Amino acid sequence: MITSTSIRKNPLVVTIIINFCYIVESLDIPKTCDNSEWTQNGITVAGGHGQGSELNQLSRPVGIYVDDDQTLYIADYNNHRVVEWKCAAEAGQVIAGGNGKGDRSDQFNGPTDVIIDKETNSLIICDNGNKRIVQWSRDNGKSGQTIISNIDCSRLTVDNDGYLYLSNDNKHEVRRWKIGDKNGTAVAGGNGQGTRLDQLNDPGYIFVDENHSVYVSDWGNHRVMKWPKGAREGIVVAGGQGGGSDLTQLWGPQGVIVDQLGTVYVADGGNDRVMRWCKGATEGTIVVGGNDKGEGPNQLNRPQGLSFDRQGNLYVVDQDNCRVQKFNIYSASNF
């Protein structure tokens, strides 16, 4: 069972001293300097050998989780599996699923996201096509246990109290799930499909900060919304100027991470770039990508999930290139 304190994302926290950034360990949320920079040429750390089902390949990867030792866990959508990819490994290994498309306890139907419950040493997986959330042991688990069923789940995350948050693109809402809860509680959207501040349009990736504010990539509205705890409507914190490629715009936003300064990092899927929006900014800046669609080291093709490791390096699921790219952060001495 999931406990209320067991699941943790693997974020990064950075402390600012004068003009320098130092990485320190923390359980909760990334914090970067406003002038942090990452190398523009990414390193392929998973996949990159074309679309396929071999252990050195991925097929339409979606969500990602980066563990403390830089081991990657990737929701490999078209291969109906979750792959574990060790740091510097040339190939991954199937850690959940991989038994064909299906609804048995040892199968998935298009998994879209994954996180880790470290207390039970298990994965929590969004099994999108089967409309369920599955817990799967990392200790040689042969099958999973359904912990939430009959839920149109798109992406998932967890807060620092162990509550699960699931985005439902069919109902245009984000719901929070307590242990033993049968229905969950709507915490963003839930007022029908639309463009109002109390509505969402095909929500996808979600992030929850230490104050339990919910950030959601409002894919169909080309914006990222922040819903403070208990709020009845959200605040636009990135995009919201219609779909486009200007610095004031997003096009089909995907993965989202927010640091302790309120800076929003978002995978701008339709523009093949990752954007940074500082708190209160009316336009964003390009962090990586934005060099047209392609498979070069400085290019992306429909980026999806995002994650930082504890050193501040940025990982991007480069979906249509069937790979995960790592962009190294410049050292503190470069600032």
Side-chain angles (χ1 to χ4, degrees):
M1 293 295 291
I2 307 171
T3 69
S4 62
T5 59
S6 60
I7 309 173
R8 291 288 185 269
K9 277 286 189 185
N10 176 42
L12 153 79
V13 173
V14 181
T15 301
I16 302 177
I17 303 178
I18 310 178
N19 291 322
F20 295 91
C21 304
Y22 295 95
I23 308 299
V24 296
E25 290 189 355
S26 174
L27 288 176
D28 291 311
I29 301 175
K31 184 176 182 181
T32 57
C33 299
D34 284 340
N35 60 349
S36 296
E37 294 182 3
W38 287 262
T39 55
Q40 294 304 293
N41 286 336
I43 303 167
T44 300
V45 291
H49 297 280
Q51 183 175 7
S53 59
E54 299 297 325
L55 290 179
N56 67 346
Q57 295 178 305
L58 299 168
S59 181
R60 202 184 172 198
V62 190
I64 185 174
Y65 179 98
V66 182
D67 208 353
D68 294 346
D69 61 357
Q70 298 183 335
T71 297
L72 310 182
Y73 295 87
I74 305 161
D76 193 9
Y77 183 88
N78 274 354
N79 285 322
H80 312 292
R81 65 190 186 186
V82 173
V83 180
E84 178 187 74
W85 211 292
K86 298 287 188 181
C87 181
E90 294 184 359
Q93 61 178 346
V94 179
I95 194 170
N99 298 303
K101 177 181 177 180
D103 60 3
R104 297 194 317 250
S105 62
D106 67 340
Q107 293 178 308
F108 295 118
N109 181 1
T112 53
D113 216 347
V114 57
I115 56 177
I116 290 180
D117 176 356
K118 291 194 173 181
E119 186 169 299
T120 62
N121 193 32
S122 62
L123 303 171
I124 308 298
I125 301 159
C126 182
D127 188 10
N128 178 262
N130 285 322
K131 298 183 178 182
R132 65 188 182 186
I133 302 297
V134 174
Q135 185 175 28
W136 194 297
S137 174
R138 286 199 293 171
D139 187 18
N140 247 350
K142 302 300 182 183
S143 62
Q145 175 188 1
T146 299
I147 56 176
I148 301 176
S149 58
N150 299 317
I151 174 70
D152 286 318
C153 53
S154 173
R155 306 291 188 270
L156 80 161
T157 193
V158 66
D159 67 17
N160 51 15
D161 292 323
Y163 288 82
L164 284 173
Y165 294 72
L166 311 177
S167 60
N168 184 328
D169 53 2
N170 289 322
K171 292 187 177 180
H172 311 286
E173 66 180 10
V174 175
R175 297 186 78 83
R176 182 182 65 206
W177 291 78
K178 181 181 178 181
I179 306 308
D181 198 346
K182 294 183 179 180
N183 297 310
T185 303
V187 293
N191 297 300
Q193 181 179 20
T195 60
R196 298 194 316 254
L197 292 179
D198 67 341
Q199 294 179 308
L200 298 170
N201 183 359
D202 290 338
Y205 289 88
I206 42 182
F207 183 94
V208 181
D209 69 16
E210 59 188 357
N211 298 314
H212 298 167
S213 293
V214 176
Y215 295 79
V216 54
S217 288
D218 191 10
W219 185 87
N221 286 323
H222 309 292
R223 65 190 184 186
V224 176
M225 300 288 290
K226 174 184 178 181
W227 290 67
K229 184 178 179 180
R232 294 189 177 183
E233 63 180 33
I235 304 163
V236 179
V237 293
Q241 302 297 319
S245 60
D246 290 343
L247 293 180
T248 60
Q249 296 176 302
L250 300 169
W251 188 277
Q254 300 287 347
V256 60
I257 303 173
V258 184
D259 69 16
Q260 288 187 345
L261 300 174
T263 305
V264 175
Y265 295 82
V266 55
D268 190 8
N271 287 317
D272 307 301
R273 63 192 184 186
V274 176
M275 299 283 289
R276 171 170 55 193
W277 293 67
C278 294
K279 188 175 182 179
T282 58
E283 67 177 38
T285 58
I286 298 173
V287 175
V288 296
N291 300 303
D292 297 324
K293 188 187 303 293
E295 57 184 23
N298 70 338
Q299 293 178 304
L300 299 169
N301 190 347
R302 202 178 175 210
Q304 297 285 310
L306 295 180
S307 186
F308 287 111
D309 65 20
R310 287 189 177 273
Q311 287 70 45
N313 305 307
L314 176 64
Y315 296 76
V316 183
V317 177
D318 192 12
Q319 185 177 77
D320 284 2
N321 283 324
C322 300
R323 65 187 183 184
V324 176
Q325 294 292 91
K326 176 184 178 182
F327 296 89
N328 290 316
I329 192 169
Y330 290 128
S331 66
S333 61
N334 288 347
F335 289 96

